[in-house]
Amino acid sequence: MASYPIFVLKRFGQFLLVVFLGISATFFITHMTPIDPVEQSIGAIQQMGQSDPRAVDLMRQSLRELYGMEGSLWQQYVHFWTRLATGDLGPSLSAFPTPVSTIILRSLPWTIGLMTVATLFTFILGNTIGALAGYYRKSMVLKAVSLVFIAMQPIPYYILAFVLIILFGYLWPILPINGGYEMNTNLQLSFSLVLDILRHSILPALSLILVGTGGWLIGMRALVSNIITEDYVTFAELGGVPKNRILRSYIARNAMVPQFTGLAMSLGAVFNGTIITEIVFGYPGIGNLLISAVHAGDYSLVLGLSALSITGVAAAVFIIDILGPLIDPRIRVE
Amino acid sequence: MQKWKKLAFGVALATFGLVGAATAQEYTTLPRKETLIVENPEGTIKNPGWFNIWVNGGGGVSTGLQQLTMDTLWYIDPEQGLGGSAWDNSLAADKPQYNDDFTQMTVKLRKGLYWSDGVEFTADDVVYTVKTQIDHPGMNWSAAFSVQVASVEATDPYTVVFKLKKPNSRFHAIFTVRWNGAWIMPKHVFEKVADPVRYDFANPVSLGAYKLKTFDPQGKWYTWEKRDDWQRTSLARLGEPGPKYVTYVDPGPPDKRTIAQLEHNLDIIHDNTPEGMFTLKDKSKTVESWFPGFPFAHPDPTLPAVIFNTQDPLFSNADVRWALALLIDIKAVDMASYRGTATLSALGVPPTAIAMKDYQAPLQDWLKDFEVDTGKRKIKPYDPTIGQQVADMLRKQPKYKDQIPTDPAAISTAFGYGWWKPDPQAATELLEKAGFKKVGGKWMTPDGQPFKIRLTVEGDTRSVFTRAGTLIAQQWAAFGIDSKAAPSSAVWQGLATGDFQCAIAWSVETWGGDPDLSFFLESWHSDFVAKKGENQSARNWQRWSNPELDKIIESIRRVSADDPKGIELGKDYLKLVAREMPTIPLMSYNVFTSMDTTYWKGYPTIADPYTDPVPNWANSRLMMVKLKPAQP
């Protein structure tokens, strides 16, 4: 492990390079889209009401200056990195002059909350059932439960979301189907507000959990099925080690290593938001924000959200890389 | 295994406990009988705390902000209005007063109107609004004021005099609400601000009958409360607003809107799919719509059409445009798009009530006699019975047969008068006249290339018109033209840049309740047609110019907005565009607004058409006056 610090430095360099290339690519892609935020803004103003054709050129010129969109693409690119280096994502173009960071920070906690809880719940549930189903292969209950989750996995989650809305919002209306909390509610922190927020998150989280559990379950069951044929498991069984202990300490622990890698990747991708889930349930997260930013040609906001997502995923990979040798004795750094 | 089972049981119990905490769904914490809940079609607002409506800063506009708190000099209602006419002197005490050559406009203001913070509204607010926007490029009305206003001054606290750079008999339109207008700014608030462009106008002071109560920091809902001093607003002339609270909400996609209204949690749905409206009518006993039965929807003063890019050589010839019009089976398009609920229009004006009276009905005889020269013969393409045929077709559907009107006048109001007859033979002759040829079942352009059309549609954004465009493209394809509908998320930008062949969109919008067509027609003058490759300003997306049209527009400029000559000039325009077909008018923009009468009654309908029911229009403030609680 003497070379571990060098390994970490190398991986950190890779992390920075990935972030730089990813954000740069996003910058050029967003600036090459046919949607022009100034024209979108002019369109919005013109569609609002009386528009004087003589005023449009003047409006266009004013908005270009206001949005800082003058200069060549290269100049804008350099300006973008200069600003980003100081942590400034610039103003949103569709919500000018509000900073992109302000808009993102308003939505981010909702996505992180929903996605983190759903991801962890899915991870625990899928791996638990997968491990049990892989080890107790004759259990009819576990077979049935596994079958349910595996059958749900290929269902597009927006379809499941609509089914949940019809079930719990219309036929048996006991759960809220829109938003993050009740309308006109007092947003000062209280037990009832927390309960309200939790209730509003049940259906979006459930749609993610029901569809997402099957993936973890199948993976874990396959890993366990492989591991139970290993010699050390056979020795443990012959040695009279209790079955629960064999499952926990001998099988699940080893099987979890690749699953944790997957978990880290999933948690890194939390920043992506779950666009369709948020739209279907009207959940106030960054998925909804990203879609509206794309439609408005607001590349400042798209870039801000992409930078967050790219950094999140790259950081997750970096952390997995540097923790790998520490948690998995089979990995050796040379 | 026992531990796992216990854990699983515990998780299930906790989940059901949380669910069990819910009884029947409460949608709002405010007293429901005092709260009107309205859909805001803007959806979730990206920048919820931004109330500066004079800057396009990502805040909502139709969150109630423009309907309930803003005011300006005049309103023209898309329907009949409440004050005896569609025209309403709101902040102004009278109509605009122009000098003889329309270079000066004087406005007399009402006295005794107050902002919600107790400051009196005066001429200084109007002057400040104009000067501030001229001084700050980037504000929404800055450019429009800059190009028109030479000077503005308050000659006394209730009189404003505008001197214009050029004669303009329609300058008042900028301060006249159709959907919105140039709203008056509170001078006493903004003058203390360093930069009006960067000011969010949090806790907005109101000039309307309501003021902000609360809003969702995530942008899903806004709630407004009736002002204690509502009598000191311009709306008070018309009566006391009924609802104590009005909440504008993003209720989600059509299915969720429908569910919310069925559960009486959403009083007004702004717009719905035809299918959503049918469901509501089937399942709810308390839902009202503009028409009590088929076609349900309100015809807005907007005219969806096939818009040709006339700078594309393929569509520069009126014969080609006419040929394509004669290939459209409008009844099939009606069924495919609006499921039979469209209000059709062959003329270039939306079939609103006032347009039916002033334009559509008077021009029926002219349309019946109107001829098109195909190069081989003259045809009379107009079928005045199309509206009747649609009604007869719908009457065969058992579900709605009793809802279809039988009175010819009612049929025309609901479904329109007539439209062009499909005539493939005439279309063939017109294309051949234009130099096109049919080779092996496929049409070729005069230079020997396949005749290829891409009809741009908005996709899911406006599914009704996407369905219309798709069917029209198929009808052209069936005739041997390589034609397809092309969905795009940037239709309006494409219209501006000219990056399209033809599109389903609109370049005609009228006041609705007033026959003056200058609202859109002024922008059709050849002075404003962009060169190929340059951006076109709204609304002449077809980039069409015509010397005869210029003469009509210039004549309209020389008469005042309420001069009857304007209507005659409007008819000249309609005849011209019928001959030239720069766009193919299809139908009005029908909006499936549905209104639940569980908590409120007094909504506008065809029986009491005091305003447009579509609640994102600023004119919908009139609804507040007419609505009364439905429950004690």
Side-chain angles (χ1 to χ4, degrees):
Chain A
M1 293 294 282
S3 57
Y4 185 70
I6 295 168
F7 164 79
V8 170
L9 277 175
K10 272 186 186 174
R11 288 287 184 269
F12 186 67
Q14 280 178 359
F15 160 73
L16 291 178
L17 185 68
V18 166
V19 169
F20 174 76
L21 291 175
I23 292 175
S24 294
T26 311
F27 176 90
F28 288 110
I29 290 166
T30 52
H31 280 70
M32 282 189 283
T33 57
I35 302 176
D36 181 338
V38 167
E39 295 305 326
Q40 292 288 98
S41 200
I42 287 172
I45 293 167
Q46 287 188 325
Q47 277 191 51
M48 275 188 211
Q50 178 74 12
S51 55
D52 188 325
R54 288 159 293 204
V56 172
D57 283 342
L58 188 59
M59 207 189 300
R60 186 173 290 118
Q61 187 188 321
S62 302
L63 290 176
R64 285 209 175 278
E65 284 173 25
L66 202 62
Y67 293 174
M69 289 173 59
E70 289 171 311
S72 67
L73 188 62
W74 175 249
Q75 285 170 322
Q76 287 184 49
Y77 177 67
V78 171
H79 181 59
F80 165 73
W81 275 109
T82 311
R83 255 196 344 227
L84 196 62
T86 63
D88 178 12
L89 291 164
S92 159
L93 301 179
S94 60
F96 190 87
T98 308
V100 162
S101 52
T102 304
I103 293 173
I104 292 177
L105 285 173
R106 203 181 287 135
S107 302
L108 193 58
W110 293 91
T111 296
I112 289 178
L114 177 68
M115 292 292 291
T116 305
V117 169
T119 303
L120 290 175
F121 204 90
T122 304
F123 176 79
I124 293 164
L125 194 65
N127 283 305
T128 304
I129 298 169
L132 291 167
Y135 191 60
Y136 299 105
R137 279 173 294 178
K138 289 179 182 168
S139 165
M140 294 306 290
V141 173
L142 287 165
K143 272 184 184 171
V145 171
S146 300
L147 191 67
V148 168
F149 282 112
I150 291 165
M152 280 189 177
Q153 204 208 349
I155 298 173
Y157 60 82
Y158 50 90
I159 298 290
L160 189 68
F162 280 120
V163 170
L164 291 173
I165 284 172
I166 297 296
L167 280 177
F168 297 107
Y170 181 57
L171 295 175
W172 188 33
I174 56 162
L175 281 171
I177 57 174
N178 192 34
Y181 38 81
E182 202 174 319
M183 208 159 65
N184 295 315
T185 201
N186 182 350
L187 292 173
Q188 287 193 315
L189 190 61
S190 64
F191 178 71
S192 63
L193 177 65
V194 171
L195 198 67
D196 190 32
I197 289 171
L198 281 173
R199 281 185 48 244
H200 276 77
S201 70
I202 289 174
L203 286 186
L206 200 59
S207 72
L208 295 169
I209 289 164
L210 290 176
V211 170
T213 301
W216 294 112
L217 192 154
I218 292 167
M220 190 65 177
R221 198 176 61 177
L223 286 163
V224 167
S225 299
N226 279 333
I227 289 170
I228 56 174
T229 62
E230 296 281 345
D231 291 345
Y232 63 86
V233 176
T234 311
F235 279 129
E237 283 172 341
L238 292 171
V241 178
K243 273 187 175 293
N244 277 349
R245 192 173 166 205
I246 292 172
L247 177 59
R248 268 199 325 270
S249 308
Y250 288 68
I251 297 172
R253 207 169 156 187
N254 285 318
M256 284 307 290
V257 174
Q259 296 294 78
F260 272 117
T261 305
L263 174 66
M265 295 283 287
S266 297
L267 288 173
V270 154
F271 295 103
N272 295 346
T274 306
I275 294 169
I276 296 175
T277 298
E278 288 183 7
I279 287 170
V280 169
F281 290 103
Y283 209 72
I286 58 173
N288 253 327
L289 195 61
L290 181 62
I291 286 292
S292 70
V294 168
H295 283 307
D298 185 349
Y299 35 70
S300 290
L301 190 49
V302 172
L303 270 168
L305 291 164
S306 303
L308 198 69
S309 172
I310 290 162
T311 308
V313 174
V317 173
F318 171 65
I319 290 164
I320 293 161
D321 274 355
I322 61 170
L323 290 182
L326 304 179
I327 59 171
D328 189 349
R330 291 170 297 185
I331 297 176
R332 287 289 173 265
V333 183
E334 293 298 336
Chain B
M1 274 296 280
Q2 291 309 313
K3 285 182 183 174
W4 295 118
K5 283 178 183 172
K6 281 177 186 172
L7 181 68
F9 181 72
V11 169
L13 200 66
T15 305
F16 282 109
L18 203 58
V19 173
T23 50
Q25 282 304 295
E26 291 292 339
Y27 208 60
T28 176
T29 56
L30 292 171
R32 187 63 180 88
K33 290 178 185 176
E34 296 179 332
T35 309
L36 178 74
I37 302 176
V38 184
E39 179 199 348
N40 173 22
E42 289 174 308
T44 299
I45 304 304
K46 192 183 297 169
N47 199 6
W50 186 269
F51 293 93
N52 185 346
I53 202 168
W54 300 274
V55 174
N56 192 29
V61 172
S62 52
T63 55
L65 184 65
Q66 76 166 8
Q67 302 98 315
L68 303 180
T69 74
M70 294 290 151
D71 208 340
T72 188
L73 304 179
W74 302 283
Y75 281 67
I76 293 179
D77 197 86
E79 290 296 334
Q80 289 184 5
L82 267 180
S85 82
W87 179 280
D88 182 41
N89 298 315
S90 188
L91 294 178
D94 202 349
K95 286 193 165 187
Q97 297 158 24
Y98 286 96
N99 62 355
D100 288 345
D101 65 354
F102 299 109
T103 55
Q104 184 174 303
M105 182 181 86
T106 302
V107 186
K108 294 285 181 189
L109 300 175
R110 288 187 188 281
K111 297 173 183 174
L113 303 181
Y114 286 80
W115 296 94
S116 57
D117 58 359
V119 175
E120 191 185 6
F121 159 74
T122 67
D124 288 345
D125 291 312
V126 179
V127 172
Y128 179 84
T129 298
V130 177
K131 285 185 171 174
T132 302
Q133 298 212 46
I134 288 173
D135 291 344
H136 292 87
M139 295 186 87
N140 288 351
W141 287 274
S142 171
F145 286 137
S146 297
V147 297
Q148 293 189 82
V149 179
S151 70
V152 55
E153 62 171 331
T155 52
D156 67 53
Y158 304 104
T159 308
V160 184
V161 178
F162 293 88
K163 290 194 171 133
L164 307 180
K165 289 179 176 175
K166 282 182 180 175
N168 184 358
S169 61
R170 303 295 192 280
F171 174 68
H172 64 275
I174 199 168
F175 290 108
T176 307
V177 170
R178 175 191 180 263
W179 186 83
N180 76 344
W183 305 113
I184 304 304
M185 298 168 75
K187 175 175 180 276
H188 63 285
V189 174
F190 275 81
E191 67 185 352
K192 294 173 188 155
V193 171
D195 184 357
V197 176
R198 292 169 192 275
Y199 174 53
D200 60 7
F201 196 37
N203 304 312
V205 298
S206 163
L207 197 50
Y210 288 79
K211 62 181 181 182
L212 182 68
K213 178 175 172 61
T214 179
F215 72 97
D216 177 13
Q218 300 302 323
K220 285 202 86 70
W221 42 261
Y222 288 75
T223 295
W224 312 85
E225 184 176 13
K226 186 163 62 174
R227 281 169 55 176
D228 293 336
D229 64 341
W230 60 266
Q231 296 96 331
R232 302 201 299 179
T233 66
S234 71
L235 198 63
R237 291 168 296 118
L238 306 168
E240 180 177 1
K244 184 177 180 185
Y245 305 107
V246 186
T247 295
Y248 287 79
V249 62
D250 168 20
D255 53 320
K256 286 166 80 177
R257 288 174 224 165
T258 305
I259 289 170
Q261 191 158 68
L262 285 170
E263 292 178 355
H264 314 299
N265 287 327
L266 182 60
D267 296 316
I268 305 177
I269 291 180
H270 168 268
D271 195 8
N272 209 329
T273 57
E275 296 79 4
M277 178 59 100
F278 300 161
T279 301
L280 282 165
K281 283 289 185 176
D282 283 348
K283 295 190 180 298
S284 173
K285 291 189 172 80
T286 56
V287 165
E288 274 187 354
S289 50
W290 180 255
F291 290 104
F294 235 79
F296 308 117
H298 178 267
D300 265 11
T302 300
L303 186 70
V306 176
I307 293 183
F308 296 105
N309 183 347
T310 61
Q311 288 179 342
D312 182 327
L314 283 175
F315 306 112
S316 59
N317 184 338
D319 289 332
V320 176
R321 301 192 295 259
W322 251 109
L324 292 168
L326 293 174
L327 293 171
I328 295 173
D329 177 355
I330 197 67
K331 284 183 289 180
V333 173
D334 182 356
M335 294 307 291
S337 59
Y338 272 119
R339 306 290 185 237
T341 62
T343 311
L344 304 172
S345 178
L347 290 168
V349 64
T352 59
I354 199 93
M356 287 295 209
K357 179 176 76 72
D358 287 328
Y359 296 117
Q360 299 267 5
L363 284 174
Q364 285 304 301
D365 288 340
W366 180 86
L367 281 167
K368 287 172 197 167
D369 295 335
F370 170 66
E371 290 183 332
V372 171
D373 184 353
T374 68
K376 292 187 176 174
R377 61 201 167 106
K378 287 188 174 173
I379 59 160
K380 291 188 175 177
Y382 187 67
D383 182 348
T385 67
I386 295 273
Q388 178 73 55
Q389 289 175 43
V390 170
D392 294 344
M393 201 164 58
L394 291 168
R395 217 171 279 114
K396 288 173 187 162
Q397 296 184 1
K399 204 171 183 180
Y400 299 114
K401 66 178 196 302
D402 298 333
Q403 298 181 10
I404 310 301
T406 49
D407 171 49
I411 287 173
S412 302
T413 303
F415 303 110
Y417 282 98
W419 213 77
W420 315 115
K421 287 177 279 214
D423 192 340
Q425 182 53 40
T428 300
E429 291 164 13
L430 282 161
L431 284 177
E432 286 171 346
K433 183 182 167 189
F436 288 68
K437 282 186 185 149
K438 200 167 188 179
V439 180
K442 301 288 175 197
W443 280 96
M444 310 300 270
T445 62
D447 58 1
Q449 299 300 310
F451 187 13
K452 189 174 171 180
I453 300 178
R454 292 296 171 263
L455 177 59
T456 310
V457 292
E458 279 193 86
D460 292 341
T461 309
R462 254 179 267 270
S463 56
V464 165
F465 297 120
T466 295
R467 295 194 299 226
T470 303
L471 188 66
I472 288 168
Q474 284 171 1
Q475 289 173 349
W476 291 343
F479 182 69
I481 297 167
D482 177 4
S483 162
K484 283 188 182 132
S488 163
S489 60
V491 169
W492 294 94
Q493 196 178 307
L495 292 169
T497 58
D499 185 21
F500 75 105
Q501 280 192 297
C502 52
I504 302 283
W506 50 90
S507 55
V508 173
E509 290 169 297
T510 60
W511 289 108
D514 189 287
D516 178 27
L517 298 184
S518 66
F519 182 82
F520 76 93
L521 203 50
E522 172 64 24
S523 64
W524 282 33
H525 195 280
S526 63
D527 286 352
F528 309 127
V529 175
K531 293 190 181 83
K532 200 171 179 177
E534 291 181 3
N535 280 305
Q536 174 66 45
S537 60
R539 298 186 170 74
N540 186 0
W541 307 122
Q542 58 275 4
R543 297 170 176 239
W544 179 68
S545 60
N546 181 291
E548 202 178 327
L549 179 69
D550 283 351
K551 279 183 195 162
I552 293 168
I553 294 168
E554 286 155 17
S555 301
I556 289 175
R557 284 176 188 167
R558 288 192 292 269
V559 299
S560 66
D562 49 6
D563 190 321
K565 282 182 202 154
I567 295 174
E568 293 312 308
L569 290 163
K571 288 178 188 169
D572 292 342
Y573 144 79
L574 290 169
K575 291 172 184 175
L576 174 66
V577 292
R579 286 197 302 271
E580 294 290 327
M581 198 63 74
T583 71
I584 307 175
L586 298 172
M587 52 192 65
S588 70
Y589 194 131
N590 277 5
V591 185
F592 290 94
T593 302
S594 55
M595 301 154 281
D596 187 14
T597 57
T598 303
Y599 294 101
W600 299 100
K601 59 184 181 186
Y603 296 107
T605 62
I606 189 73
D608 186 14
Y610 63 86
T611 193
D612 181 344
V614 185
N616 67 338
W617 287 60
N619 280 287
S620 64
R621 68 178 188 161
L622 297 186
M623 266 199 262
M624 303 309 145
V625 174
K626 290 280 281 187
L627 288 177
K628 299 290 174 260
Q631 297 180 16

